[in-house]
């Protein structure tokens, strides 16, 4: 089992990265929080020093965002020979495939996993069909997987949902499991002062401190975390998932955001 | 300038005629057959809209809708815009086969397997790409062109400037559609993983607490002060968008009809200024519009 760490590219020297072979960096929900190349110098030094492989995580992208990512990738190619790109945007997948840039990985925002924590209670007495559906990833279907072959996709990413996750039985594909945060939903921009009713219209990404703010919804029984422009909840226990699914071969621990 | 098309929701056969008479050029709707409800309940797993009341229930309804829409020279579109698991696909294929056999015109889709299946069988159904696919850039249109799509519904979370930029360089072999009335939510449709059921609050209706601060998200009443993009309609049209969608499946038919009239009047340029548009909003919906409820700011 490969253990990787997702870090905040702005603070690689502030976090002690445990022994590992790969680090994840970038941002999965906001294009404004993606790095410029000159902002990852320290990260590159660290990666070279410790012989770490790199995975660049990207969010959904506007046309401006896609230009920014492609510029970044052009520069990254000059510094690193092989790297993975986690894509949350079909346009980016299309583009990096035709440019033969990096190794594409399908992000957990595209695999079609059911992540609402309330769905877990269906597992108590669900009809079989419902149980199957809730455990499924809607992207991982026969024809779709065959279609992705032309994009060279061999890895899909998953969240550590409370319910079982079924990934199919094809040994051609591998899966990464993120812990502990599970995404619920994404805002277009951060809620201002963490108030839903005030969404920033023009945010300044440099002001963003990647804070985790705890929210609660008393009815749900789960703590909700507002991290930048997205809502998450957490499930740090992953042993059962590994037991259930032999094709998960990588754990991605998010240490960019403090959990405990 | 190219003609516009108002796309309006219906949830029963009897709503088709009044909606088309009001000025819609196309109706869209979902279907939730009884055998589906038995297996998967009435949450939003079939068309990203919960509740059987928001859907048709029988295949005969499909035939009726095609007949009425065709009498008016209008199009009818079936929304199958959820993403489905492998075991759900036979139900979806059955619905699509029925829809096509009964003369249906188009389908709104977000599931890649569904699009590949339509392609593989050489279906004549036109394919509209749902907001659920999250097409925020021109390269995504290029990606989905492989699936023979005819229309892209743009995300309602885009800003006006982003829409202009997108439309300037994007592929014009397909049509574009944008939502202009009702139900704007601060969550991004294509990335919202809250499930929507009849009995429980949606993620956007939940109240959250942050310390002592109480956060209500969609606490305004869309039925009283509808979300709308009327002030942006001409700017949207200038970008090349020709299809304007009224959201709100299962909203009262009278409200949908009022909103079609409102959008049509605005598109037909009855109002020379924003103030006139806003006054018309007030006269139709009975309340002043609110900036918080503006689309595409």
């Amino acid at each position: 089992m490969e253990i990787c760490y997702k870090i905040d590219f702005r603070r690689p020297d502030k976090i002690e990265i445990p022994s590992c072979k790969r680090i994840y960096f970038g941002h999965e929900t906001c294009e404004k929080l993606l790095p410029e190349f000159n902002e990852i110098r320290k990260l590159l030094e660290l990666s070279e020093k410790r012989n770490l492989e790199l995975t660049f995580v990207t969010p959904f992208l506007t046309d401006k965002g896609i230009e920014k990512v492609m510029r970044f990738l052009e520069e990254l190619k000059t510094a690193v020979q092989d790297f993975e790109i986690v894509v949350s945007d079909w346009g980016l997948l299309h583009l990096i495939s035709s440019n033969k840039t990096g190794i594409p990985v399908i992000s957990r925002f595209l695999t079609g996993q059911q992540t609402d924590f309330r769905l877990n209670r269906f597992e108590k007495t669900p009809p079989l069909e419902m149980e199957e559906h809730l455990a499924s990833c809607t992207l991982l279907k026969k024809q779709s997987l065959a279609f992705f072959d032309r994009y060279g996709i061999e890895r899909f990413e998953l969240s550590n949902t409370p319910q079982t996750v079924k990934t199919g039985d094809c040994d051609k594909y591998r899966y990464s499991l993120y812990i502990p945060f599970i995404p619920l939903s994404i805002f277009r921009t951060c809620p201002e002062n963490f108030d839903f009713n005030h969404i920033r219209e023009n945010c300044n990404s440099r002001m963003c401190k990647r804070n985790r703010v705890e929210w609660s919804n008393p009815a749900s029984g789960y703590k909700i975390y507002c991290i930048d422009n997205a809502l998450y909840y957490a499930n740090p226990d992953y042993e059962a998932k590994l037991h259930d699914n032999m094709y998960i071969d990588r754990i991605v621990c998010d240490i960019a955001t403090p959990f405990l | 300038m190219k003609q516009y098309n108002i796309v309006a929701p219906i949830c029963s056969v009897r709503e088709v005629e009044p909606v088309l008479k009001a000025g819609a050029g196309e109706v869209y709707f979902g279907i939730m057959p009884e055998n589906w409800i038995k297996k998967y309940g009435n949450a939003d797993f079939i068309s990203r809209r919960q509740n059987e009341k928001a859907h048709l229930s029988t295949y005969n309804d499909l035939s009726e809708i095609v007949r009425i829409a065709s009498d008016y020279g209008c199009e009818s579109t079936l929304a199958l815009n959820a993403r489905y698991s492998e075991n759900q696909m036979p139900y979806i294929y059955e619905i699509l086969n029925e829809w096509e056999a009964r003369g249906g015109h188009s389908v709104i889709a977000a599931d890649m397997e569904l699009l590949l299946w339509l392609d593989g069988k050489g279906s004549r159904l036109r394919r509209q790409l749902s907001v659920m696919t999250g097409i925020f850039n021109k390269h995504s249109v290029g990606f989905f062109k492989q699936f023979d799509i005819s229309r892209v519904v743009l995300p309602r979370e885009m800003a006006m400037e982003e829409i202009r930029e997108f439309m300037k360089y994007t592929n014009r072999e397909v049509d574009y559609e944008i939502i202009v009335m009702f139900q704007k939510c601060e969550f991004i449709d294509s990335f919202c993983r809250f499930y929507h059921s009849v009995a429980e609050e949606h993620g956007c209706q939940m109240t959250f607490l942050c310390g002592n601060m109480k956060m209500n998200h969609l606490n305004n009443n869309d039925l009283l002060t509808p979300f709308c993009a009327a002030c942006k309609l001409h700017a949207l049209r200038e970008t090349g968008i020709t299809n304007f969608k009224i959201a709100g499946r299962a909203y009262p038919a009278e409200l949908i009809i009022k909103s079609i009239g409102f959008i049509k009047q605005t598109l037909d340029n009855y109002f020379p200024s924003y103030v006139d548009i806003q006054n018309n909003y007030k006269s139709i919906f009975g309340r002043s519009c609110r900036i918080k409820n503006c689309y595409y700011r």
Side-chain angles (χ1 to χ4, degrees):
Chain A
M1 182 63 59
E2 184 186 3
I3 307 286
C4 310
Y5 294 93
K6 184 177 159 198
I7 63 158
D8 186 341
F9 68 88
R10 292 167 296 182
R11 296 177 276 194
D13 47 347
K14 295 272 171 19
I15 299 169
E16 196 177 322
I17 302 169
S19 172
C20 65
K21 285 189 180 163
R22 176 179 297 278
I23 45 178
Y24 276 53
F25 72 103
H27 203 278
E28 66 179 357
T29 60
C30 179
E31 67 182 26
K32 291 183 178 177
L33 288 173
L34 288 173
E36 299 291 343
F37 187 68
N38 61 19
E39 290 176 298
I40 63 155
R41 301 257 178 228
K42 278 184 186 166
L43 183 69
L44 291 175
E45 281 167 23
L46 181 79
S47 120
E48 199 177 333
K49 196 168 132 195
R50 289 181 50 177
N51 200 21
L52 297 170
E53 291 183 279
L54 294 177
T55 299
F56 177 44
V57 181
T58 61
F60 70 96
L61 297 161
T62 62
D63 283 307
K64 271 189 186 157
I66 241 173
E67 280 172 27
K68 181 180 171 178
V69 167
M70 292 312 290
R71 270 198 313 272
F72 177 85
L73 290 174
E74 282 307 308
E75 290 188 278
L76 187 61
K77 273 202 288 195
T78 63
V80 185
Q81 206 173 6
D82 292 315
F83 53 89
E84 290 180 341
I85 308 166
V86 176
V87 292
S88 303
D89 187 282
W90 300 119
L92 180 65
L93 177 64
H94 200 49
L95 206 51
I96 61 174
S97 157
S98 49
N99 288 3
K100 307 245 180 291
T101 305
I103 303 159
V105 173
I106 299 291
S107 94
R108 56 181 175 157
F109 289 96
L110 297 183
T111 44
Q113 210 177 346
Q114 316 279 333
T115 66
D116 190 325
F117 46 77
R118 295 172 298 178
L119 295 170
N120 187 38
R121 62 156 185 256
F122 282 139
E123 288 216 37
K124 288 166 193 160
T125 49
L128 184 63
E129 291 83 357
M130 181 66 111
E131 191 176 13
E132 286 276 339
H133 175 64
L134 298 181
S136 298
C137 295
T138 56
L139 191 69
L140 307 180
K141 299 195 284 281
K142 265 181 215 140
Q143 286 193 67
S144 307
L145 288 171
F147 173 79
F148 283 123
D149 283 350
R150 72 179 77 162
Y151 287 95
I153 300 293
E154 290 181 352
R155 177 172 294 280
F156 296 87
E157 306 223 299
L158 302 168
S159 294
N160 185 31
T161 50
Q163 78 269 25
T164 311
V165 183
K166 286 190 178 162
T167 54
D169 52 7
C170 180
D171 69 358
K172 193 168 160 188
Y173 306 106
R174 290 291 176 269
Y175 301 89
S176 315
L177 186 71
Y178 277 60
I179 57 165
F181 296 110
I182 303 160
L184 279 167
S185 208
I186 305 180
F187 301 105
R188 192 60 216 284
T189 60
C190 296
E192 196 166 20
N193 302 318
F194 299 97
D195 180 350
F196 270 133
N197 295 331
H198 295 94
I199 303 289
R200 287 194 190 111
E201 284 173 39
N202 294 299
C203 74
N204 176 353
S205 60
R206 299 299 107 180
M207 284 168 65
C208 183
K209 295 189 177 77
R210 195 180 168 86
N211 282 330
R212 168 180 64 74
V213 178
E214 272 185 35
W215 289 4
S216 63
N217 170 248
S220 73
Y222 276 93
K223 274 185 185 167
I224 311 291
Y225 303 92
C226 185
I227 303 170
D228 300 331
N229 62 325
L231 292 186
Y232 297 80
Y233 65 108
N235 179 21
D237 304 322
Y238 61 90
E239 302 285 332
K241 286 277 184 319
L242 303 185
H243 187 261
D244 289 348
N245 199 313
M246 61 193 285
Y247 297 119
I248 296 175
D249 68 347
R250 182 187 289 178
I251 302 289
V252 184
C253 306
D254 184 350
I255 54 170
T257 315
F259 172 51
L260 295 171
Chain B
M1 196 179 282
K2 200 177 164 187
Q3 278 296 326
Y4 64 80
N5 180 34
I6 297 175
V7 184
I10 53 140
C11 50
S12 71
V13 173
R14 69 174 181 279
E15 289 174 3
V16 181
E17 198 159 358
V19 157
L20 295 177
K21 274 185 180 161
E26 180 177 339
V27 290
Y28 73 98
F29 51 88
I31 183 167
M32 197 181 269
E34 208 169 306
N35 62 349
W36 175 276
I37 297 172
K38 274 185 192 151
K39 307 276 187 198
Y40 300 107
N42 65 353
D44 64 341
F45 297 130
I46 197 165
S47 77
R48 198 58 183 170
R49 181 83 192 169
Q50 69 289 350
N51 201 344
E52 58 270 45
K53 287 179 187 158
H55 296 78
L56 309 178
S57 56
T58 70
Y59 293 139
N60 285 339
D61 289 345
L62 300 180
S63 306
E64 272 301 282
I65 286 170
V66 173
R67 185 186 61 76
I68 302 167
S70 300
D71 283 352
Y72 278 81
C74 293
E75 297 244 334
S76 48
T77 302
L78 174 63
L80 283 171
N81 60 335
R83 282 166 287 216
Y84 309 102
S85 48
E86 191 94 59
N87 293 346
Q88 291 177 330
M89 293 315 289
Y91 295 91
I92 301 304
Y93 295 152
E94 181 188 309
I95 294 170
L96 283 165
N97 279 331
E98 290 286 343
W99 180 229
E100 185 158 7
R102 288 159 194 268
H105 301 113
S106 309
V107 59
I108 309 172
D111 188 289
M112 228 169 264
E113 194 91 347
L114 184 161
L115 291 165
L116 287 164
W117 182 81
L118 287 172
D119 217 22
K121 81 189 275 272
S123 168
R124 57 154 188 81
L125 288 173
R126 281 191 288 279
R127 293 132 219 195
Q128 302 181 4
L129 214 48
S130 164
V131 283
M132 299 307 295
T133 44
I135 305 296
F136 283 91
N137 58 68
K138 59 179 179 281
H139 299 288
S140 296
V141 180
F143 176 82
F144 280 103
K145 271 297 284 173
Q146 299 175 89
F147 301 93
D148 200 19
I149 52 164
S150 63
R151 187 187 296 176
V152 172
V153 188
L154 293 180
R156 53 182 133 187
E157 300 82 16
M158 288 173 95
M160 196 59 226
E161 201 41 52
E162 289 169 339
I163 296 167
R164 277 199 195 95
E165 190 71 14
F166 175 97
M167 291 299 293
K168 206 188 295 179
Y169 299 109
T170 205
N171 188 320
R172 293 305 170 95
E173 292 165 32
V174 298
D175 275 347
Y176 293 89
E177 178 176 295
I178 199 146
I179 298 173
V180 292
M181 284 295 299
F182 301 124
Q183 290 190 319
K184 185 169 163 60
C185 166
E186 297 301 353
F187 293 128
I188 299 175
D189 289 301
S190 50
F191 295 106
C192 181
R193 297 292 176 264
F194 280 111
Y195 97 112
H196 299 73
S197 78
V198 178
E200 290 182 89
E201 287 176 321
H202 306 170
C204 54
Q205 294 167 335
M206 286 179 173
T207 298
F208 294 98
L209 300 172
C210 177
N212 293 326
M213 197 159 70
K214 195 174 175 181
M215 285 163 288
N216 293 307
H217 177 24
L218 203 65
N219 60 349
N220 68 302
N221 192 332
D222 197 25
L223 299 176
L224 295 177
T225 330
F227 284 87
C228 111
C231 294
K232 297 289 190 306
L233 281 176
H234 291 290
L236 289 167
R237 218 174 150 196
E238 277 165 16
T239 66
I241 295 170
T242 50
N243 300 286
F244 299 97
K245 175 171 268 170
I246 315 277
R249 270 189 280 158
Y251 274 20
E254 309 79 59
L255 188 62
I256 298 294
I257 288 163
K258 273 186 193 175
S259 67
I260 294 167
F262 173 59
I263 293 299
K264 187 170 162 43
Q265 287 169 2
T266 313
L267 282 166
D268 288 342
N269 214 1
Y270 291 172
F271 309 106
S273 73
Y274 289 162
V275 176
D276 294 316
I277 293 171
Q278 287 157 10
N279 286 338
N280 194 40
Y281 178 105
K282 192 176 178 184
S283 73
I284 288 177
F285 299 109
R287 290 188 180 203
S288 297
C289 62
R290 300 167 69 189
I291 190 156
K292 200 185 119 200
N293 294 7
C294 285
Y295 266 103
Y296 316 116
R297 273 187 278 166

